[in-house]
Amino acid sequence: MRKNLILIVLIVFLFSAIFVMANDQFTGDDPVKAGEPLLITNAGQGPGGKMARLLVIQSQAVEDWTYNAEPEPEDLEEKPYKTLLVVIGSSAKGLGASGITIDDEIERLDRMIAKAQELEMQIIAAHIEGMARRDQEGGANERSINAIAPFADYIIVREDGNADGKFTKIAEENEVPITFIKDTRDLTEVIKLMYSES
C-alpha cells in the first residue's frame, strides 16, 4: 500500500514538473484556440514566415495549412480559411527579391487585412525574431508591425522584441490577448496549445 502511495506521489510530481517546464516557455496570456484551415504568411518580406512554417510543421498539431508569402485579397478566398497567421518582420533583401518597396508591401498588407476582416478570419500577429526585426519608428519593421498588430485577435511576440513595450501597448489598447515567448522555437509549443482539443 505504501509503495503504491509513493508511486502515485512520484507520478503526480512528474506530471507537475512537465507542466511547469512546458509553461515556462511563455508568459502573458494563455494561447488562444485557432481553427483550420490555417494560412501562414509574413508582413515585410522577412524570413520569419518561412521559420513559422517550419515550426508549424514541427508541432505536428495542424493538418490543414497553407503558406503564401504574398497573398492578395483574392488568395484568402481560395479555401475556407479560419485563421491567418501573419509573421511580422521586414527584410531589405526580401523586399528586393520580391521587387517591391515597403510602401508596396504596406498597401498589400492593408488590402489583406481588410479582406481577412471581411471574411471574419481569426488574425494572429506573430513577431518571433526579436530585436533583429525592430527599428526606428517609421522604419520598415515598425511600419509592418503597425499594419498588422493593431488588427490582430491575438498577438505572439518574442520577449526581447518587446523591450520598449510596444506590443504590450497595442494589446492593451485593442483588448486582445498577448503571449510572450522566450525563444523563436517556443512558437512550436504555442501552436500545439492553440490546436489542442483541451
Side-chain angles (χ1 to χ4, degrees):
M1 182 69 178
R2 185 176 177 185
K3 286 182 179 179
N4 288 341
L5 183 60
I6 292 172
L7 182 60
I8 290 169
V9 169
L10 286 173
I11 290 171
V12 169
F13 177 79
L14 179 62
F15 275 101
S16 297
I18 291 171
F19 179 80
V20 169
M21 286 172 61
N23 284 280
D24 190 45
Q25 294 171 312
F26 60 85
T27 57
D29 296 306
D30 290 336
V32 304
K33 295 302 177 184
E36 297 181 46
L38 167 67
L39 177 58
I40 307 165
T41 189
N42 51 258
Q45 299 301 317
K50 291 181 179 178
M51 294 169 65
R53 175 182 62 181
L54 177 61
L55 295 171
V56 167
I57 293 170
Q58 289 180 349
S59 76
Q60 299 182 335
V62 188
E63 294 181 5
D64 192 352
W65 62 269
T66 302
Y67 173 75
N68 185 335
E70 301 176 59
E72 289 288 348
E74 57 269 22
D75 297 323
L76 274 59
E77 297 182 292
E78 287 184 352
K79 295 175 69 172
Y81 294 112
K82 299 292 185 187
T83 302
L84 177 66
L85 173 60
V86 187
V87 184
I88 307 168
S90 188
S91 160
K93 182 179 178 181
L95 289 167
S98 298
I100 62 173
T101 67
I102 188 60
D103 290 332
D104 297 328
E105 177 71 346
I106 297 301
E107 288 178 9
R108 182 189 67 80
L109 295 174
D110 290 345
R111 295 193 301 271
M112 180 185 75
I113 289 296
K115 189 63 176 181
Q117 291 177 324
E118 177 189 322
L119 296 172
E120 297 184 350
M121 293 175 65
Q122 177 188 35
I123 301 170
I124 298 174
H127 189 273
I128 62 173
E129 297 178 81
M131 289 305 294
R133 300 298 168 203
R134 294 296 309 274
D135 45 36
Q136 297 290 327
E137 196 61 43
N141 284 297
E142 303 310 303
R143 291 182 66 188
S144 298
I145 292 168
N146 296 340
I148 302 299
F151 306 99
D153 301 299
Y154 174 49
I155 299 172
I156 305 167
V157 59
R158 205 172 86 180
E159 283 181 352
D160 59 326
N162 189 51
D164 59 356
K166 179 169 184 167
F167 288 97
T168 301
K169 183 178 179 182
I170 291 172
E172 289 175 350
E173 288 178 348
N174 294 281
E175 298 182 349
V176 297
I178 183 169
T179 298
F180 301 97
I181 57 176
K182 298 181 184 302
D183 184 86
T184 300
R185 292 168 294 182
D186 295 336
L187 179 65
T188 301
E189 296 304 317
V190 175
I191 295 293
K192 286 179 182 178
L193 290 169
M194 286 168 60
Y195 283 91
S196 66
E197 295 183 1
S198 59

